[in-house]
């Protein structure tokens, strides 16, 4: 019993009643002027529902009045562009108008009927009930609550039913759902890319700064300390530029990614690693300036992450770097000896980022010991 009466305590029951009353407020004016043509408003709703913006207006009302307690109800968020969606809006308007007419009739005449029955029960004759003979007046008193119960059932039942119809007719179509999923996927991919950018850039700068600071303190040499501080300053400035660029991309979604560093800036990475105390033997061959933009940019980040891992896990050790562009393939290879024969970590966000970048460009990456006591990062990226 308590469960049946619970809708009376919910605000959405009354907002749904208001929603069902809204179309009748306008249609009733026509019915009062031309009662012999009650179907005209239903015909007028057809061209109205075919307007692309009609669905947006109806969704706004449905969100506000039919589902006021739901944070994100499953309704469409864009105008109806496909004709199928426009006709769904037309059907919704027709159903809403008919349901509104039923609710308007019930909310007016059922209370009047309840009053008439109660008045008859106390012996007062009204014109709302036809003259009856036979049953005593107290019988009408027993019947008086029934119209109010029926009114409650009509308001609560039709309100819930109309909400369900709204979810189906005003909800996104299959094509719109797929488009929303694709858009969400693109947003997640962009966030993942930005996270990788920040990890590679800031992680590299912090690693160089830590290695340089430790080396300067251990060297006890003013000249070396001066060079270390200069390297930390240069790396920090580059990291700040990268951070400003990434923040700019976040603020301006249309901003192009062409400002990102490419493999033509690889000398900056090599000099930064050398300034950190590592001996870098680099071999760069091929026309790097003609590489496709995405390949060159991702190749720069892969090389940056590989050198960062050398400094972070192996320290100031000799490293061999090979960058070659030939025969439709870009090859990036970084090798360094493992200190004390240890096996460097094969899992982590850095190595995972290298593999993800290679996979996104249709390439392949190998990271791990090479069997000769060195740690190897080898990435092959197709150029076409």
């Amino acid at each position: 019993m308590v469960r049946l009466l619970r809708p009376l305590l919910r605000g959405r029951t009354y907002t749904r009643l208001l929603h069902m009353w809204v179309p009748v407020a306008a249609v009733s004016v026509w019915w009062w002027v031309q009662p012999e043509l009650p179907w005209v408003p239903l015909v007028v709703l057809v061209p109205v529902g075919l307007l692309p913006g009609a669905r947006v207006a109806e969704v706004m009302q449905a969100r506000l009045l039919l589902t006021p307690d739901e944070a994100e109800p499953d309704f469409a968020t864009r105008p109806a562009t496909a004709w199928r969606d426009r006709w769904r809006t037309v059907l919704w308007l027709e159903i809403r108008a008919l349901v509104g007419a039923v609710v308007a009739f019930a909310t007016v005449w059922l209370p009047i009927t309840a009053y008439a029955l109660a008045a008859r029960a106390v012996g007062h004759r009204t014109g709302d009930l036809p003259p009856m003979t036979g049953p005593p007046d107290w019988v009408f008193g027993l019947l008086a609550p029934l119209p109010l119960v029926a009114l409650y059932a009509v308001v609560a039942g039709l309100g819930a039913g109309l909400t369900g119809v709204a979810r189906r007719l005003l909800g996104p179509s299959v094509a719109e759902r797929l488009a929303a999923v694709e858009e969400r996927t693109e947003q997640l991919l962009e966030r993942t890319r930005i996270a990788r950018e920040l990890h590679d850039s800031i992680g590299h700068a912090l690693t160089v700064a830590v290695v340089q600071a430790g080396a300067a303190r251990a060297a006890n040499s003013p000249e070396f300390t001066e060079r270390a501080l200069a390297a930390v300053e240069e790396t920090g400035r580059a990291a700040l530029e990268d951070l400003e660029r990434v923040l700019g991309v976040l603020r301006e979604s249309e901003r192009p990614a062409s400002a990102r560093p490419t493999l033509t800036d690889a000398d900056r990475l090599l000099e930064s690693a050398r300034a950190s105390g590592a001996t870098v033997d680099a071999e760069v061959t091929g026309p790097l300036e003609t590489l496709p933009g995405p390949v060159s940019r991702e190749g720069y980040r892969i090389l940056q992450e590989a050198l960062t891992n050398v400094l972070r896990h192996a320290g100031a050790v000799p490293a061999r770097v090979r960058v070659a562009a030939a025969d439709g393939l870009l090859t990036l290879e970084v090798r360094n000896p493992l200190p004390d024969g240890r096996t460097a970590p094969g899992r982590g966000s850095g190595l995972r980022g290298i593999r993800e970048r290679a996979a996104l460009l249709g390439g392949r990456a190998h990271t791990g010991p090479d069997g000769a006591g060195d740690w190897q990062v080898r990435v092959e990226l197709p150029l076409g």
Side-chain angles (χ1 to χ4, degrees):
M1 185 64 179
V2 175
R3 184 176 181 181
L4 293 176
L5 297 178
R6 192 173 298 168
L8 289 174
L9 304 177
R10 294 174 178 169
R12 67 184 181 188
T13 300
Y14 305 99
T15 59
R16 288 173 177 176
L17 175 61
L18 178 61
H19 183 272
M20 291 182 287
W21 259 94
V22 167
V24 181
V27 174
S28 59
V29 177
W30 171 262
W31 288 341
W32 183 71
V33 176
Q34 294 287 344
E36 66 277 7
L37 300 174
W39 47 267
V40 171
L42 298 178
V43 176
V44 174
L45 289 177
V46 174
V48 173
L50 292 177
L51 297 175
R55 182 169 70 165
V56 176
E58 291 300 313
V59 166
M60 291 177 59
Q61 296 182 55
R63 286 176 178 270
L64 181 63
L65 299 176
L66 292 181
T67 58
D69 50 354
E70 296 184 22
E72 295 184 2
D74 190 16
F75 290 127
T77 57
R78 299 177 180 177
T81 55
W83 283 104
R84 177 182 176 86
D85 296 329
R86 297 186 186 187
W87 283 111
R88 291 170 64 204
T89 307
V90 171
L91 180 59
W92 159 254
L93 290 175
E94 300 288 347
I95 293 176
R96 183 183 178 187
L98 294 175
V99 171
V102 173
V103 171
F105 178 86
T107 52
V108 171
W109 289 107
L110 288 179
I112 292 177
T113 303
Y115 167 78
L117 290 172
R120 184 68 176 268
V122 297
H124 180 67
R125 299 295 188 269
T126 66
D128 298 312
L129 289 177
M132 298 181 185
T133 58
D137 290 343
W138 62 268
V139 174
F140 294 97
L142 298 178
L143 298 177
L146 295 182
L148 299 179
V149 174
L151 176 62
Y152 166 68
V154 169
V155 171
L158 288 182
L162 191 64
T163 302
V165 174
R167 295 184 192 276
R168 293 186 61 86
L169 298 181
L170 297 181
S173 62
V174 176
E176 289 173 325
R177 291 182 187 275
L178 291 176
V181 170
E182 292 178 355
E183 182 179 354
R184 177 61 176 166
T185 302
E186 289 295 328
Q187 292 175 353
L188 291 176
L189 289 176
E190 182 65 13
R191 290 175 61 182
T192 302
R193 186 186 68 80
I194 291 175
R196 285 200 304 263
E197 289 283 312
L198 289 174
H199 171 270
D200 293 348
S201 177
I202 306 303
H204 176 76
L206 292 177
T207 299
V208 170
V210 170
V211 172
Q212 289 282 5
R217 184 176 62 179
N220 195 21
S221 170
E223 294 79 7
F224 185 85
T225 301
E226 183 69 21
R227 293 197 303 270
L229 291 176
V232 169
E233 180 182 7
E234 181 183 354
T235 306
R237 291 183 185 277
L240 287 176
E241 292 176 1
D242 285 344
L243 180 60
E244 181 62 28
R245 177 187 51 76
V246 172
L247 293 178
V249 172
L250 289 175
R251 288 191 295 264
E252 305 172 24
S253 59
E254 301 300 324
R255 185 171 176 176
S258 58
R260 293 167 55 193
T262 64
L263 277 177
T264 57
D265 305 311
D267 288 342
R268 188 175 70 179
L269 293 177
L270 301 177
E271 290 303 322
S272 176
R274 292 186 179 114
S276 299
T279 302
V280 180
D281 180 15
E283 178 186 352
V284 180
T285 59
L288 300 184
E289 64 279 357
T290 63
L291 295 178
V295 175
S296 187
R297 289 191 291 268
E298 296 303 320
Y300 177 92
R301 291 305 186 193
I302 290 173
L303 180 59
Q304 183 182 53
E305 181 59 32
L307 291 174
T308 301
N309 285 338
V310 172
L311 296 174
R312 180 181 300 159
H313 300 296
V317 299
R320 298 185 299 277
V321 176
R322 176 173 172 260
V323 180
D327 300 327
L329 194 68
L330 173 65
T331 303
L332 301 170
E333 187 176 279
V334 178
R335 291 173 177 266
N336 64 276
L338 295 174
D340 302 327
R342 295 195 306 265
T343 300
R347 296 183 299 274
S349 57
L351 297 180
R352 185 169 60 249
I354 291 176
R355 300 186 189 102
E356 289 177 353
R357 290 180 186 275
L360 286 175
L361 294 175
R364 56 184 180 180
H366 168 74
T367 60
D370 63 355
D374 288 348
W375 180 267
Q376 177 191 40
V377 174
R378 181 182 174 87
V379 177
E380 297 178 351
L381 303 177
L383 300 181

Short mmCIF file of all heavy atoms in Angstrom, two decimals, residues 182-219:
data_model
loop_
_atom_site.label_atom_id
_atom_site.label_comp_id
_atom_site.label_asym_id
_atom_site.label_seq_id
_atom_site.Cartn_x
_atom_site.Cartn_y
_atom_site.Cartn_z
N GLU A 182 32.04 7.08 -31.26
CA GLU A 182 33.25 7.43 -31.99
C GLU A 182 33.85 8.73 -31.45
O GLU A 182 35.08 8.87 -31.32
CB GLU A 182 32.94 7.57 -33.48
CG GLU A 182 32.59 6.25 -34.15
CD GLU A 182 32.22 6.43 -35.61
OE1 GLU A 182 32.16 7.59 -36.07
OE2 GLU A 182 31.98 5.42 -36.29
N GLU A 183 32.99 9.70 -31.15
CA GLU A 183 33.49 10.96 -30.61
C GLU A 183 34.14 10.75 -29.25
O GLU A 183 35.20 11.33 -28.95
CB GLU A 183 32.33 11.96 -30.49
CG GLU A 183 32.75 13.33 -29.97
CD GLU A 183 31.58 14.28 -29.91
OE1 GLU A 183 30.47 13.92 -30.37
OE2 GLU A 183 31.76 15.40 -29.39
N ARG A 184 33.51 9.94 -28.42
CA ARG A 184 34.08 9.64 -27.11
C ARG A 184 35.42 8.92 -27.25
O ARG A 184 36.37 9.19 -26.51
CB ARG A 184 33.10 8.79 -26.30
CG ARG A 184 33.61 8.35 -24.94
CD ARG A 184 33.91 9.52 -24.04
NE ARG A 184 34.31 9.10 -22.71
CZ ARG A 184 34.87 9.87 -21.82
NH1 ARG A 184 35.11 11.15 -22.10
NH2 ARG A 184 35.19 9.42 -20.61
N THR A 185 35.49 8.00 -28.22
CA THR A 185 36.74 7.28 -28.45
C THR A 185 37.84 8.24 -28.88
O THR A 185 38.99 8.13 -28.43
CB THR A 185 36.54 6.19 -29.51
OG1 THR A 185 35.50 5.29 -29.07
CG2 THR A 185 37.81 5.41 -29.74
N GLU A 186 37.49 9.18 -29.76
CA GLU A 186 38.48 10.16 -30.20
C GLU A 186 38.95 11.01 -29.04
O GLU A 186 40.14 11.34 -28.93
CB GLU A 186 37.86 11.05 -31.29
CG GLU A 186 37.64 10.36 -32.61
CD GLU A 186 38.95 9.93 -33.26
OE1 GLU A 186 39.97 10.63 -33.07
OE2 GLU A 186 38.96 8.89 -33.94
N GLN A 187 38.05 11.38 -28.14
CA GLN A 187 38.44 12.17 -26.98
C GLN A 187 39.39 11.38 -26.07
O GLN A 187 40.38 11.93 -25.58
CB GLN A 187 37.20 12.59 -26.20
CG GLN A 187 36.32 13.60 -26.93
CD GLN A 187 35.05 13.91 -26.18
OE1 GLN A 187 34.73 13.27 -25.17
NE2 GLN A 187 34.30 14.88 -26.66
N LEU A 188 39.08 10.09 -25.87
CA LEU A 188 39.95 9.27 -25.02
C LEU A 188 41.32 9.08 -25.67
O LEU A 188 42.35 9.12 -24.98
CB LEU A 188 39.29 7.91 -24.78
CG LEU A 188 38.03 7.92 -23.90
CD1 LEU A 188 37.44 6.52 -23.82
CD2 LEU A 188 38.34 8.44 -22.51
N LEU A 189 41.32 8.89 -26.99
CA LEU A 189 42.61 8.76 -27.67
C LEU A 189 43.42 10.04 -27.56
O LEU A 189 44.65 10.00 -27.39
CB LEU A 189 42.39 8.39 -29.14
CG LEU A 189 41.87 6.98 -29.43
CD1 LEU A 189 41.59 6.80 -30.91
CD2 LEU A 189 42.87 5.93 -28.95
N GLU A 190 42.74 11.19 -27.69
CA GLU A 190 43.46 12.46 -27.58
C GLU A 190 44.00 12.65 -26.17
O GLU A 190 45.13 13.12 -25.98
CB GLU A 190 42.52 13.60 -27.95
CG GLU A 190 43.15 14.98 -27.92
CD GLU A 190 44.24 15.15 -28.97
OE1 GLU A 190 44.34 14.30 -29.88
OE2 GLU A 190 45.01 16.13 -28.86
N ARG A 191 43.21 12.28 -25.17
CA ARG A 191 43.70 12.39 -23.79
C ARG A 191 44.89 11.46 -23.56
O ARG A 191 45.85 11.82 -22.87
CB ARG A 191 42.56 12.05 -22.83
CG ARG A 191 41.45 13.09 -22.77
CD ARG A 191 40.31 12.66 -21.89
NE ARG A 191 40.74 12.45 -20.52
CZ ARG A 191 39.94 12.03 -19.55
NH1 ARG A 191 38.68 11.77 -19.80
NH2 ARG A 191 40.40 11.87 -18.33
N THR A 192 44.83 10.26 -24.14
CA THR A 192 45.95 9.34 -24.00
C THR A 192 47.20 9.90 -24.68
O THR A 192 48.31 9.79 -24.16
CB THR A 192 45.59 7.98 -24.62
OG1 THR A 192 44.43 7.45 -23.96
CG2 THR A 192 46.73 6.99 -24.46
N ARG A 193 47.01 10.49 -25.86
CA ARG A 193 48.15 11.08 -26.56
C ARG A 193 48.77 12.21 -25.76
O ARG A 193 49.99 12.31 -25.64
CB ARG A 193 47.71 11.60 -27.93
CG ARG A 193 48.87 12.09 -28.78
CD ARG A 193 48.38 12.73 -30.05
NE ARG A 193 47.69 13.97 -29.78
CZ ARG A 193 48.31 15.13 -29.53
NH1 ARG A 193 49.63 15.18 -29.51
NH2 ARG A 193 47.62 16.21 -29.30
N ILE A 194 47.92 13.06 -25.19
CA ILE A 194 48.44 14.18 -24.39
C ILE A 194 49.15 13.66 -23.15
O ILE A 194 50.19 14.20 -22.74
CB ILE A 194 47.27 15.13 -24.02
CG1 ILE A 194 46.77 15.84 -25.28
CG2 ILE A 194 47.72 16.15 -22.98
CD1 ILE A 194 45.55 16.69 -25.05
N ALA A 195 48.59 12.61 -22.54
CA ALA A 195 49.26 12.03 -21.37
C ALA A 195 50.64 11.49 -21.74
O ALA A 195 51.61 11.66 -21.00
CB ALA A 195 48.40 10.91 -20.78
N ARG A 196 50.75 10.86 -22.92
CA ARG A 196 52.06 10.37 -23.36
C ARG A 196 53.01 11.53 -23.62
O ARG A 196 54.20 11.46 -23.31
CB ARG A 196 51.90 9.52 -24.63
CG ARG A 196 51.34 8.14 -24.40
CD ARG A 196 51.67 7.22 -25.55
NE ARG A 196 51.19 7.77 -26.81
CZ ARG A 196 50.04 7.43 -27.38
NH1 ARG A 196 49.25 6.55 -26.80
NH2 ARG A 196 49.67 7.97 -28.52
N GLU A 197 52.45 12.61 -24.22
CA GLU A 197 53.30 13.77 -24.49
C GLU A 197 53.88 14.33 -23.19
O GLU A 197 55.07 14.62 -23.10
CB GLU A 197 52.47 14.85 -25.19
CG GLU A 197 52.09 14.52 -26.62
CD GLU A 197 53.26 14.71 -27.56
OE1 GLU A 197 53.92 15.76 -27.50
OE2 GLU A 197 53.52 13.79 -28.35
N LEU A 198 53.03 14.49 -22.19
CA LEU A 198 53.50 15.04 -20.92
C LEU A 198 54.50 14.09 -20.26
O LEU A 198 55.50 14.52 -19.68
CB LEU A 198 52.31 15.30 -20.00
CG LEU A 198 51.41 16.48 -20.39
CD1 LEU A 198 50.20 16.53 -19.47
CD2 LEU A 198 52.18 17.79 -20.31
N HIS A 199 54.19 12.78 -20.32
CA HIS A 199 55.10 11.81 -19.70
C HIS A 199 56.47 11.86 -20.34
O HIS A 199 57.50 11.91 -19.66
CB HIS A 199 54.51 10.40 -19.82
CG HIS A 199 55.47 9.32 -19.41
ND1 HIS A 199 56.33 8.73 -20.32
CD2 HIS A 199 55.72 8.74 -18.21
CE1 HIS A 199 57.07 7.83 -19.70
NE2 HIS A 199 56.72 7.81 -18.42
N ASP A 200 56.48 11.89 -21.69
CA ASP A 200 57.76 11.87 -22.39
C ASP A 200 58.54 13.16 -22.15
O ASP A 200 59.74 13.13 -21.85
CB ASP A 200 57.55 11.66 -23.88
CG ASP A 200 56.99 10.28 -24.19
OD1 ASP A 200 57.00 9.43 -23.27
OD2 ASP A 200 56.53 10.06 -25.31
N SER A 201 57.87 14.29 -22.29
CA SER A 201 58.57 15.58 -22.20
C SER A 201 59.01 15.89 -20.78
O SER A 201 60.19 16.11 -20.50
CB SER A 201 57.66 16.69 -22.73
OG SER A 201 58.29 17.94 -22.59
N ILE A 202 58.06 15.89 -19.86
CA ILE A 202 58.37 16.24 -18.47
C ILE A 202 59.24 15.16 -17.83
O ILE A 202 60.17 15.45 -17.07
CB ILE A 202 57.09 16.45 -17.66
CG1 ILE A 202 56.18 17.48 -18.36
CG2 ILE A 202 57.41 16.91 -16.25
CD1 ILE A 202 56.86 18.83 -18.58
N GLY A 203 58.96 13.89 -18.14
CA GLY A 203 59.78 12.81 -17.59
C GLY A 203 61.23 12.91 -18.04
O GLY A 203 62.15 12.70 -17.24
N HIS A 204 61.41 13.25 -19.31
CA HIS A 204 62.78 13.40 -19.81
C HIS A 204 63.49 14.55 -19.10
O HIS A 204 64.66 14.43 -18.68
CB HIS A 204 62.75 13.65 -21.32
CG HIS A 204 64.10 13.91 -21.91
ND1 HIS A 204 65.01 12.92 -22.14
CD2 HIS A 204 64.69 15.08 -22.31
CE1 HIS A 204 66.11 13.43 -22.67
NE2 HIS A 204 65.95 14.75 -22.78
N ALA A 205 62.79 15.69 -18.96
CA ALA A 205 63.41 16.86 -18.32
C ALA A 205 63.78 16.57 -16.87
O ALA A 205 64.88 16.92 -16.40
CB ALA A 205 62.46 18.05 -18.40
N LEU A 206 62.88 15.92 -16.13
CA LEU A 206 63.16 15.62 -14.74
C LEU A 206 64.31 14.61 -14.61
O LEU A 206 65.15 14.72 -13.71
CB LEU A 206 61.90 15.09 -14.06
CG LEU A 206 60.76 16.10 -13.87
CD1 LEU A 206 59.54 15.42 -13.25
CD2 LEU A 206 61.21 17.26 -12.99
N THR A 207 64.33 13.62 -15.50
CA THR A 207 65.42 12.65 -15.44
C THR A 207 66.77 13.32 -15.68
O THR A 207 67.74 13.07 -14.97
CB THR A 207 65.18 11.54 -16.49
OG1 THR A 207 63.95 10.88 -16.20
CG2 THR A 207 66.31 10.53 -16.46
N VAL A 208 66.84 14.17 -16.70
CA VAL A 208 68.09 14.87 -16.99
C VAL A 208 68.49 15.75 -15.82
O VAL A 208 69.66 15.80 -15.42
CB VAL A 208 67.94 15.70 -18.28
CG1 VAL A 208 69.14 16.63 -18.46
CG2 VAL A 208 67.82 14.78 -19.49
N ALA A 209 67.52 16.46 -15.23
CA ALA A 209 67.83 17.34 -14.10
C ALA A 209 68.36 16.55 -12.92
O ALA A 209 69.35 16.97 -12.26
CB ALA A 209 66.58 18.13 -13.71
N VAL A 210 67.73 15.40 -12.61
CA VAL A 210 68.19 14.59 -11.48
C VAL A 210 69.59 14.05 -11.73
O VAL A 210 70.46 14.09 -10.85
CB VAL A 210 67.18 13.45 -11.22
CG1 VAL A 210 67.76 12.45 -10.23
CG2 VAL A 210 65.87 14.00 -10.70
N VAL A 211 69.84 13.53 -12.94
CA VAL A 211 71.15 12.97 -13.25
C VAL A 211 72.22 14.05 -13.22
O VAL A 211 73.32 13.87 -12.67
CB VAL A 211 71.11 12.27 -14.62
CG1 VAL A 211 72.51 11.86 -15.05
CG2 VAL A 211 70.21 11.04 -14.57
N GLN A 212 71.89 15.22 -13.79
CA GLN A 212 72.86 16.32 -13.81
C GLN A 212 73.17 16.80 -12.39
O GLN A 212 74.33 17.06 -12.05
CB GLN A 212 72.32 17.48 -14.64
CG GLN A 212 72.29 17.21 -16.13
CD GLN A 212 73.67 17.35 -16.74
OE1 GLN A 212 74.66 17.56 -16.05
NE2 GLN A 212 73.76 17.21 -18.06
N ALA A 213 72.14 16.94 -11.56
CA ALA A 213 72.37 17.41 -10.20
C ALA A 213 73.23 16.42 -9.42
O ALA A 213 74.15 16.81 -8.68
CB ALA A 213 71.03 17.62 -9.50
N GLY A 214 72.95 15.12 -9.57
CA GLY A 214 73.75 14.13 -8.88
C GLY A 214 75.19 14.11 -9.35
O GLY A 214 76.13 14.00 -8.55
N ALA A 215 75.38 14.23 -10.66
CA ALA A 215 76.73 14.22 -11.20
C ALA A 215 77.51 15.47 -10.77
O ALA A 215 78.71 15.40 -10.46
CB ALA A 215 76.68 14.13 -12.73
N ALA A 216 76.84 16.63 -10.76
CA ALA A 216 77.51 17.86 -10.36
C ALA A 216 77.94 17.81 -8.90
O ALA A 216 79.02 18.27 -8.54
CB ALA A 216 76.59 19.05 -10.61
N ARG A 217 77.10 17.25 -8.07
CA ARG A 217 77.45 17.17 -6.65
C ARG A 217 78.61 16.21 -6.43
O ARG A 217 79.50 16.43 -5.60
CB ARG A 217 76.24 16.71 -5.84
CG ARG A 217 76.48 16.70 -4.35
CD ARG A 217 75.22 16.34 -3.59
NE ARG A 217 74.75 15.00 -3.95
CZ ARG A 217 73.66 14.43 -3.41
NH1 ARG A 217 72.95 15.09 -2.52
NH2 ARG A 217 73.30 13.21 -3.78
N ALA A 218 78.66 15.11 -7.20
CA ALA A 218 79.73 14.13 -7.01
C ALA A 218 81.04 14.57 -7.66
O ALA A 218 82.12 14.16 -7.23
CB ALA A 218 79.30 12.78 -7.58
N ALA A 219 80.96 15.42 -8.70
CA ALA A 219 82.17 15.79 -9.43
C ALA A 219 83.05 16.75 -8.64
O ALA A 219 84.29 16.73 -8.76
CB ALA A 219 81.80 16.41 -10.78
#
